[in-house]
Amino acid sequence: MSTADTGGGLPLNVRAALASVGTALFLLVLKTWASIATGSVAMLGSLADTGLDLAASLVLLFSVRYAAMPPDEDHRFGHGKAESLAALFQVALIAVSAALIAWRAVERLLKGAPVEQAESGIIVSVIAIIATFGLVAYQKSIIRRTGSVAIEADNLHYQSDLLLNLSVIAALVLDQYLGLGWTDPLFGVAIALWLGWNAFRGASRAIDQLMDKEWPEEKRLAFIEMAHRHEELKNLHDLRTRTSGNRDFAQFHVDMPAKMTVAESHDIIHRVEDDLRAHFPDVEVLIHIDPEGHVDEPDNPLVEEDQFKKLEGSE
């Protein structure tokens, strides 16, 4: 998959990021007015979430463009980790916002204050649902064509926003029309908790990338199985994998006959790398050749464990 636009315009993932910025900006203006008009804590929480959406979308736009830059003299592995750094910035904003919303909701529970002009808040929330649904559908079409991890993460966040806007409508209806004044601040607390949970998940994913966490086991096994199809390769060991932005990296050692010439082994490895990249298009592969029978670190199973034998033993 490619993020490029064959028509000579903006890359598709950049278009999706711009659509995200435009939607968040439009909703921010609407919800600012609705929060002032209604005084609802739930609407305030929704406004804060939209403000974070705008900040996140701006950071997404920058990180998608920066992370897609090719490697240079100072960044030989590319710029993919810009997305993880941007995610940590977003997490900090979300955590602060969640704390402020929770404090405001508790204050409302203790002091009490009626919601006003609930109709305005409901109308704005319905508009937000329609706009967000349109953005989600557009992003999904871009994800299918590009496979962008950054846009996919943004898409999941906006899908959860659909539920958030529905909860705001429920809070306003219960408060103003059924007289349950305590429901609005309780929804505010729930929204704050939901934002905090998203902050935790976002931080975990960003830290995993920055710490070069290994791929999920299912993906590692699929990669090993693909390499195992090449009968010329023996004893695949010291497999190391990591992810940086929308790029994956994999390196490993394999045994080759000691008397094989450099040219012969190079041709084999080149074919293997081409095949692996064909099935894992966003993976940069580096293969190190060991003479058959060679042992680098006999007491280190992380290095010396034969992944092919491990695979065969699990079948």
Side-chain angles (χ1 to χ4, degrees), residues 2 71 81 83 104 115 127 138 147 168 176 181 194-195 201 208 213 222 249-250 272 274 277:
S2 171
K81 287 190 177 180
E83 291 186 15
R104 181 76 177 98
V115 169
I127 294 173
Y138 176 66
V168 171
Q176 180 134 350
W194 173 79
L195 288 172
R201 290 197 307 166
D208 283 347
K213 184 177 180 179
F249 296 85
V272 172
D274 284 345
R277 279 193 291 264

Side-chain angles (χ1 to χ4, degrees), residues 12-27:
L12 292 173
N13 57 350
V14 175
R15 289 186 181 185
L18 285 171
S20 180
V21 170
T23 301
L25 187 59
F26 168 68
L27 295 179

Side-chain angles (χ1 to χ4, degrees), residues 43 111 180 186 228:
M43 179 58 73
K111 295 182 178 180
L180 303 176
L186 282 184
H228 193 31

Side-chain angles (χ1 to χ4, degrees), residues 81 84 203-217 219-220 239-244 247-249:
K81 287 190 177 180
S84 300
S204 298
R205 288 193 296 268
I207 290 171
D208 283 347
Q209 283 205 13
L210 291 172
M211 293 296 293
D212 291 333
K213 184 177 180 179
E214 289 288 316
W215 294 348
E217 189 62 22
K219 186 174 181 178
R220 279 174 56 90
L239 172 62
R240 305 183 189 191
T241 60
R242 66 186 180 92
T243 299
S244 179
R247 295 288 297 172
D248 287 325
F249 296 85

Side-chain angles (χ1 to χ4, degrees), residues 218-283:
E218 183 180 351
K219 186 174 181 178
R220 279 174 56 90
L221 285 176
F223 187 81
I224 295 169
E225 287 173 354
M226 189 59 60
H228 193 31
R229 296 182 183 182
H230 295 269
E231 297 180 355
E232 310 97 317
L233 303 184
K234 309 295 181 184
N235 188 13
L236 187 153
H237 56 283
D238 199 11
L239 172 62
R240 305 183 189 191
T241 60
R242 66 186 180 92
T243 299
S244 179
N246 62 352
R247 295 288 297 172
D248 287 325
F249 296 85
Q251 63 184 64
F252 57 86
H253 292 213
V254 289
D255 285 0
M256 302 289 282
K259 294 184 178 180
M260 181 176 287
T261 66
V262 172
E264 290 171 337
S265 61
H266 174 269
D267 289 343
I268 292 172
I269 295 302
H270 189 68
R271 288 198 301 272
V272 172
E273 288 178 340
D274 284 345
D275 183 54
L276 289 173
R277 279 193 291 264
H279 290 87
F280 297 84
D282 292 322
V283 178

Side-chain angles (χ1 to χ4, degrees), residues 52-93:
L52 294 172
D53 286 346
L54 178 59
S57 296
L58 289 170
V59 173
L60 170 70
L61 178 60
F62 167 78
S63 64
V64 163
R65 300 197 69 168
Y66 188 77
M69 291 173 61
D72 55 33
E73 264 186 47
D74 294 325
H75 306 90
R76 299 303 296 271
F77 287 98
H79 302 79
K81 287 190 177 180
E83 291 186 15
S84 300
L85 293 172
L88 289 179
F89 171 74
Q90 295 174 35
V91 164
L93 291 178

